């Protein structure tokens, strides 16, 4: 449930929802609130298959104050060219068609589009590196795939940050490799996605101090292929986020996780080029309005990510311990 006070209309909607046993969560208490998607019947905490979770259906109207922050080129065209991805569930993952993207970001994007009175023309990119290159070349205006906010990246980009990722060691169910700490990864078969934020320097430092061999590293194009490698025993572990565990378990995958405090935390956010402050501030303002409305929290709760939620902010990557990595 939401943490802000319920109005009388909200209480009436809640009562109706209990009577019908058809709501996933509370609807927002303002005119722009999301209506629950049809055909859903469980609360977010009770969902066992997030891949079947329906998206929220926001009904916000354009906010002219926020629209005025957008650069003229975007207001005139009515289009913001965006990069997304489908490899970070439940934040983003493939939908029912080759172009549909589902998950947390899809719920946020749908509402931000309405508040800004523009359409996000999205294109899927396979990696963070590809998205940032598209920003550099001005092929896109914004990434709505959540990229890690680091000190090095802030030299070229601004981040509208929304969530905190806590790193864990992903292992097969039952932890057959017997991993209990970072030191146990030394000399083991370790996977990483090319171009992603790397905790390998941290692991190498741990191994060097322990007098143990470095991990044997295998590189992968994406997370799904790395997951398959773990399931088949080709690697012993890889570092994932705590929300990877939420997703995998919702899919019935035989995975467990081991705490990895040495790897710390990483702030994730949407990304724009330095100098594009108008777009940055408009997006931030829209997300903050969603936060005030309650829609923001509802979207995170819906996808099992309430513990990862951050209040929207610009370049707040230093709240994560991986900021200087």
């Amino acid at each position: 449930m939401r943490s802000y006070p319920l109005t009388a209309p909200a209480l009436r909607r809640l009562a109706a929802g209990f009577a019908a046993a058809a709501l996933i969560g509370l609807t927002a208490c303002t005119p722009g609130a999301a209506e629950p998607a049809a055909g859903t019947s469980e609360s977010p905490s009770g969902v066992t298959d997030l891949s079947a979770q329906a998206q929220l259906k926001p009904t916000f109207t354009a906010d002219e104050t926020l629209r005025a922050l957008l650069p003229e080129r975007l207001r005139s065209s009515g289009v913001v060219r965006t990069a997304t991805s489908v490899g970070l569930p439940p934040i983003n993952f493939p939908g029912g068609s080759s172009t549909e993207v589902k998950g947390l970001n899809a719920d946020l994007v749908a509402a931000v589009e309405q508040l800004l009175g523009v359409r996000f023309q999205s294109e899927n990119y396979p990696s963070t590196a590809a998205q940032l290159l598209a920003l550099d070349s001005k092929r896109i205006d914004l990434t709505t795939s959540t990229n890690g906010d680091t000190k090095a990246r802030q030299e070229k980009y601004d981040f509208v940050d929304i969530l905190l990722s806590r790193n864990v060691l992903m292992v097969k169910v039952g932890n057959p490799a017997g991993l209990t700490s970072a030191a146990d990864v030394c000399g083991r078969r370790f996977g990483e996605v090319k171009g992603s934020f790397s905790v390998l320097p941290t692991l190498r430092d741990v191994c060097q101090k322990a007098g143990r061999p470095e991990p044997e590293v295998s590189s992968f194009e994406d997370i799904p292929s790395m997951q398959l490698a773990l399931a088949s025993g080709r690697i012993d572990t890889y570092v994932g986020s705590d929300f990877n565990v939420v997703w995998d378990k919702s899919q019935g995958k035989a995975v467990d996780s081991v705490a990895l405090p040495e790897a710390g935390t990483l702030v994730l956010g949407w990304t724009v080029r330095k100098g594009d402050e108008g777009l940055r501030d408009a997006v931030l303002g829209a997300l903050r309005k969603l936060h005030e409305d309650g829609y923001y929290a509802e979207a995170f709760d819906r996808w099992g990510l309430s513990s990862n939620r951050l209040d929207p902010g610009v370049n707040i990557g230093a709240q994560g311990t991986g900021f200087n990595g």
Side-chain angles (χ1 to χ4, degrees), residues 199-222:
V199 300
L200 191 56
T202 298
L203 293 175
R204 284 172 171 161
D205 185 58
V206 167
C207 295
Q208 183 179 28
K209 290 178 179 178
R212 297 184 182 182
E214 293 184 356
E216 299 177 7
V217 181
S218 295
S219 296
F220 298 88
E221 294 297 329
D222 51 39

Side-chain angles (χ1 to χ4, degrees), residues 115-192:
L115 287 172
L116 298 184
V118 295
R119 177 174 63 87
F120 281 17
Q121 182 177 294
S122 295
E123 183 177 353
N124 287 339
Y125 284 78
S127 66
T128 293
Q131 293 169 36
L132 298 182
L133 285 173
L135 275 177
D136 293 343
S137 66
K138 298 187 177 180
R139 179 175 178 176
I140 61 169
D141 305 299
L142 167 75
T143 79
T144 58
S145 178
T146 43
N147 298 318
D149 180 353
T150 66
K151 186 175 183 180
R153 287 177 178 170
Q154 280 191 18
E155 293 179 4
K156 293 181 66 176
Y157 313 102
D158 282 337
F159 293 83
V160 182
D161 294 316
I162 60 172
L163 62 87
L164 185 71
S165 169
R166 301 175 186 86
N167 291 310
V168 296
L169 287 173
M170 303 293 290
V171 297
K172 291 179 68 173
V173 69
N175 193 10
L179 305 182
T180 60
S181 68
D184 291 335
V185 184
C186 302
R188 300 298 185 96
R189 298 165 299 171
F190 178 76
E192 279 199 330

Side-chain angles (χ1 to χ4, degrees), residues 94-106:
S97 69
S98 60
T99 58
E100 184 186 15
V101 179
K102 295 188 65 176
L104 169 70
N105 274 343

Side-chain angles (χ1 to χ4, degrees), residues 282-295:
V283 169
L284 174 65
L287 289 171
R288 283 182 169 170
K289 187 164 186 175
L290 297 178
H291 183 272
E292 294 168 2
D293 170 81
Y295 177 98

Side-chain angles (χ1 to χ4, degrees), residues 2-72:
R2 292 178 178 167
S3 58
Y4 58 86
L6 290 174
T7 62
L11 288 170
R12 287 195 296 271
R13 287 196 296 271
L14 179 59
F18 283 144
L23 293 182
I24 278 190
L26 301 181
T27 58
C29 304
T30 66
E35 292 298 330
T40 53
S41 60
E42 294 182 279
S43 68
S45 61
V47 170
T48 57
D49 182 3
L50 289 175
S51 68
Q53 177 81 288
Q55 300 293 145
L56 291 172
K57 295 183 178 180
T59 56
F60 292 93
T61 57
D63 184 309
E64 293 305 319
T65 301
L66 294 176
R67 274 186 55 79
L69 296 173
L70 290 171
E72 175 58 31

Side-chain angles (χ1 to χ4, degrees), residues 166 246 296-297 299-310:
R166 301 175 186 86
V246 170
Y296 188 78
F300 276 84
D301 292 347
R302 190 177 192 84
W303 299 101
L305 299 170
S306 57
S307 67
N308 301 94
R309 185 179 72 242
L310 293 175

